[in-house]
Amino acid sequence: MKSGEIMEDNDLLKVRLEKIAALKAAGIDLYPNDIKPQNTTSEIISQFSSADSDALEQLTQKFSIAGRLMAMRNFGKAAFIKIQDRKGQIQSYIAKDILSTAAYFVFKKLDVGDIIYVSGKLFRTKTNELTIEATDLRLLSKAIRPLPEKWHGLTDVETRYRQRHLDLISNPAVKETFYRRSRIISLIRQFMDRHDFLEVETPMMQPRAGGAVARPFKTHHNTLDMDLYLRIAPELYLKRLVTGGLERVYEINRSFRNEGIDTFHNPEFTMMEFYRAYATYEDLMSFTEELFADIANHIFGGLKFSYQGIEIDMTPPWRRISVNDALIQMAGMEPAALHDKAQVIEFAKKTGCDVKENDPLGKILMAIFDEVVEKKLVQPTFVTDYPVAVSPLSRRSNSDPEIVDRFELYISGREIANAFSELNDPADQRDRFEQQIKEREAGDDEAHEMDEDYIHALEYAMPPTAGEGIGIDRLVMLFTDSASIRDVILFPLLRDKAPIKE
RNA sequence: GGGCUGUUAGCUCAGCGGUAGAGCAGCGGACUUUUAAUCCGUUGGCCGGGGGUUCAAAUCCCCCACGGCCCA
């Protein structure tokens, strides 16, 4: 095989390779880079949406666009084509007696999928469509492979995820989703900036994977001969920054959890964590309401929207309910039974939870909560008063040392955010880590490890602080009405497959 | 990890024991205002891979690979 030769026994490719040979023979550069389009499709369309034929005829201005040739309707010596750029599509009219002979020769060798440049005046067709009358046309990049079918687009989900470029070309709604994802993250940054938060970046490779309860990915640094973990959360580093006096910090970036994959979990996912000194978890509830309302207002122009056929109403204030009240009201537990471990275990087993006899009471209660209550929390709900046993980094409640000043936000039956007043008492933090170590020894490989370095930092005094983590992918799912997390992550993790057939 | 389900032409799909099909795309022809343009003609397949059953397998059975949905 000669280098640069494309080896595939496919008639469609052969035809295109023949066209390429003909273009080369005519001295056409197949991949030039000297062209600068002056306009975008949407800019032209919005600027001239109300201009009629006469108005356009008065215009002497020429417009130029570049993009992917998406459709071609040929009429002998003329044609209508659709060109798609990042903003949308516009039609162009090609006629043999308007283009130069050289440009018309190139046009006759084009295929749907090629990247081209067109310039010319605007006019309206008989059917009143705004159209560029091509006086110049250039090939900018020749496609060798055919695009998916124009009408149905690309629907095979596996191909859509593995070849996202095709998905983005063929399915406008997909492009719209990722534009919106970017917009949402931008709105969050603006909101945080308005509230005087500092955006920071903390290590993704950590010697101990702390800040959450999850199984980490392990890796190794060769020169330092040191095992490292991909972070499961940025929490402990962000709190060091609060101790360092930054007081209001946030980070929007990837965390990694070595766990299963489903419609709500991808092994790498994006989270925003933020910490605010001199605030409590209660302050963060209203802060969260404001943030989400701000996003909803910008995206939808209101606080009500539909997610998977169900109306979500983000009008503050949102429902607030304690874990225990939720278990009583929504799982049907007896108030008296909540403190009797034997009865709680019995209830847990009855509901199908996989619990161990020696698990702490709080952990079993949360297992029941996850099994029974979670899916019922459709409208935005803050669940509060978590057991200390499942909250090793949260401050104990002043009213009850067995619960912590913490909430989780549920929307559409899914955890979207987790927040608490931070534990800044180094002695208590040490006790909590030691409790976690006992659970690790009892077989819980997700339990937290001792982090002396973090405790050492707390010993320099961290101000009273509240912090929160928000699952950005899940938030984007809500605001884009996406059923699967894979629809809001450009390249979701899939099992490796033999490379695409060459 | 378990259950259900999918993998057939470049794409979207039908066929479900008896000679592999359609639409779109492609190719050839007609056509200078189309909107999934139209009309005529036409090329294209290791039916995901491997084993079986059968006179005969895309179709039935088993294993494997890669997805999807639901559950753990």
Side-chain angles (χ1 to χ4, degrees):
Chain A
M1 170 170 154
K2 278 190 298 188
S3 79
E5 191 175 345
I6 288 166
M7 289 286 290
E8 191 165 350
D9 186 27
N10 180 319
D11 289 346
L12 295 169
L13 296 198
K14 276 183 196 157
V15 169
R16 297 216 178 184
L17 293 173
E18 282 162 20
K19 287 180 183 172
I20 283 173
L23 286 163
K24 275 186 184 163
I28 307 292
D29 185 356
L30 298 175
Y31 302 99
N33 70 346
D34 59 332
I35 290 289
K36 314 282 181 209
Q38 299 302 310
N39 307 97
T40 62
T41 55
S42 68
E43 168 196 325
I44 293 172
I45 289 166
S46 61
Q47 192 180 346
F48 297 101
S49 61
S50 53
D52 60 17
S53 283
D54 293 341
L56 292 176
E57 213 155 305
Q58 301 301 314
L59 270 181
T60 51
Q61 194 184 349
K62 281 180 114 185
F63 297 85
S64 61
I65 55 160
R68 193 174 297 276
L69 178 55
M70 294 300 287
M72 200 159 23
R73 290 184 282 276
N74 280 296
F75 294 84
K77 298 178 182 63
F80 288 95
I81 61 176
K82 284 268 186 195
I83 300 163
Q84 172 171 292
D85 67 8
R86 66 188 185 281
K87 302 286 184 154
Q89 294 192 349
I90 196 165
Q91 178 170 269
S92 178
Y93 177 68
I94 308 291
K96 192 179 182 183
D97 54 14
I98 298 174
L99 274 183
S100 69
T101 311
Y104 193 72
F105 170 80
V106 170
F107 171 72
K108 293 310 272 183
K109 293 279 180 276
L110 292 184
D111 289 288
V112 169
D114 292 348
I115 304 292
I116 62 170
Y117 164 91
V118 157
S119 73
K121 287 184 61 181
L122 294 177
F123 75 107
R124 284 193 184 275
T125 63
K126 282 178 182 168
T127 51
N128 209 35
E129 179 160 348
L130 190 63
T131 302
I132 299 176
E133 185 183 75
T135 47
D136 192 16
L137 178 145
R138 291 278 302 271
L139 171 63
L140 301 187
S141 187
K142 182 69 186 164
I144 294 164
R145 296 179 186 278
L147 287 182
E149 192 215 0
K150 61 187 171 188
W151 186 242
H152 298 91
L154 180 66
T155 63
D156 181 80
V157 285
E158 188 174 352
T159 310
R160 288 185 43 223
Y161 299 147
R162 286 191 197 277
Q163 299 193 64
R164 186 68 94 176
H165 49 286
L166 292 180
D167 194 23
L168 288 165
I169 292 166
S170 315
N171 298 321
V174 172
K175 193 153 82 175
E176 183 53 42
T177 294
F178 289 103
Y179 266 92
R180 188 177 286 182
R181 179 182 172 117
S182 174
R183 175 113 198 277
I184 289 166
I185 291 170
S186 170
L187 286 166
I188 293 172
R189 285 207 163 93
Q190 290 167 36
F191 186 90
M192 299 308 285
D193 294 350
R194 281 203 298 281
H195 288 82
D196 201 23
F197 281 78
L198 179 74
E199 182 171 11
V200 296
E201 293 176 84
T202 62
M204 293 206 189
M205 296 194 293
Q206 306 177 347
R208 277 164 300 282
V213 173
R215 216 168 275 117
F217 287 94
K218 192 175 183 179
T219 186
H220 186 81
H221 188 281
N222 289 342
T223 308
L224 298 180
D225 189 22
M226 174 190 186
D227 283 339
L228 287 164
Y229 297 91
L230 301 189
R231 72 176 180 195
I232 55 175
E235 171 149 357
L236 300 183
Y237 287 89
L238 289 170
K239 286 196 281 197
R240 283 170 169 88
L241 298 179
V242 176
T243 301
L246 299 187
E247 291 187 355
R248 294 185 183 195
V249 293
Y250 74 102
E251 178 164 11
I252 299 175
N253 220 322
R254 226 67 64 77
S255 287
F256 307 84
R257 296 185 184 176
N258 203 340
E259 291 161 0
I261 296 176
D262 61 31
T263 47
F264 281 85
H265 297 85
N266 194 62
E268 54 178 309
F269 62 100
T270 301
M271 192 161 52
M272 170 164 82
E273 281 203 8
F274 63 94
Y275 292 83
R276 177 171 174 169
Y278 316 112
T280 67
Y281 79 113
E282 287 172 311
D283 297 323
L284 295 192
M285 285 193 249
S286 40
F287 187 82
T288 304
E289 287 168 346
E290 278 176 47
L291 169 64
F292 280 42
D294 184 68
I295 298 169
N297 276 322
H298 279 92
I299 299 290
F300 298 117
L303 297 174
K304 294 180 183 174
F305 58 92
S306 168
Y307 178 71
Q308 301 293 295
I310 293 166
E311 188 182 75
I312 304 292
D313 184 354
M314 285 199 167
T315 307
W318 300 342
R319 182 184 187 188
R320 300 179 185 193
I321 188 169
S322 70
V323 168
N324 281 358
D325 285 347
L327 287 169
I328 292 162
Q329 291 172 29
M330 307 178 81
M333 291 185 77
E334 291 298 326
L338 288 172
H339 305 284
D340 183 318
K341 194 170 170 182
Q343 287 188 62
V344 171
I345 288 175
E346 191 191 337
F347 192 94
K349 287 185 171 165
K350 208 171 64 190
T351 57
C353 299
D354 182 24
V355 294
K356 295 193 212 73
E357 303 280 338
N358 57 356
D359 279 342
L361 176 65
K363 204 170 160 181
I364 302 169
L365 287 172
M366 289 320 299
I368 298 169
F369 180 91
D370 290 346
E371 181 70 27
V372 183
V373 179
E374 200 176 286
K375 56 176 167 272
K376 296 182 179 174
L377 300 173
V378 175
Q379 295 305 321
T381 304
F382 292 114
V383 177
T384 62
D385 297 0
Y386 278 72
V388 70
V390 297
S391 315
L393 302 165
S394 310
R395 183 180 189 279
R396 287 181 202 268
S397 162
N398 288 335
S399 57
D400 179 352
E402 285 309 303
I403 63 170
V404 292
D405 288 342
R406 172 181 174 189
F407 72 78
E408 284 191 348
L409 169 63
Y410 286 84
I411 304 176
S412 188
R414 295 288 166 174
E415 180 196 340
I416 301 292
N418 177 26
F420 36 88
S421 298
E422 303 298 336
L423 175 56
N424 60 348
D425 171 350
D428 193 5
Q429 184 65 75
R430 181 179 296 281
D431 290 347
R432 303 284 192 90
F433 280 150
E434 274 164 2
Q435 187 57 42
Q436 288 286 305
I437 288 164
K438 280 186 199 151
E439 287 187 42
R440 181 168 280 269
E441 284 162 356
D444 182 353
D445 58 358
E446 294 190 336
H448 224 288
E449 288 184 75
M450 177 59 72
D451 192 335
E452 290 288 355
D453 198 42
Y454 175 65
I455 292 170
H456 188 261
L458 288 185
E459 285 169 356
Y460 286 98
M462 178 169 82
T465 298
E468 177 166 345
I470 297 175
I472 296 296
D473 308 290
R474 290 179 179 186
L475 183 72
V476 173
M477 285 173 70
L478 269 181
F479 284 115
T480 57
D481 197 17
S482 298
S484 168
I485 197 168
R486 292 180 214 100
D487 294 327
V488 299
I489 293 175
L490 281 165
F491 299 100
L493 186 64
L494 297 182
R495 212 181 282 268
D496 195 24
K497 206 178 180 183
I500 303 162
K501 200 174 67 175
E502 264 301 327

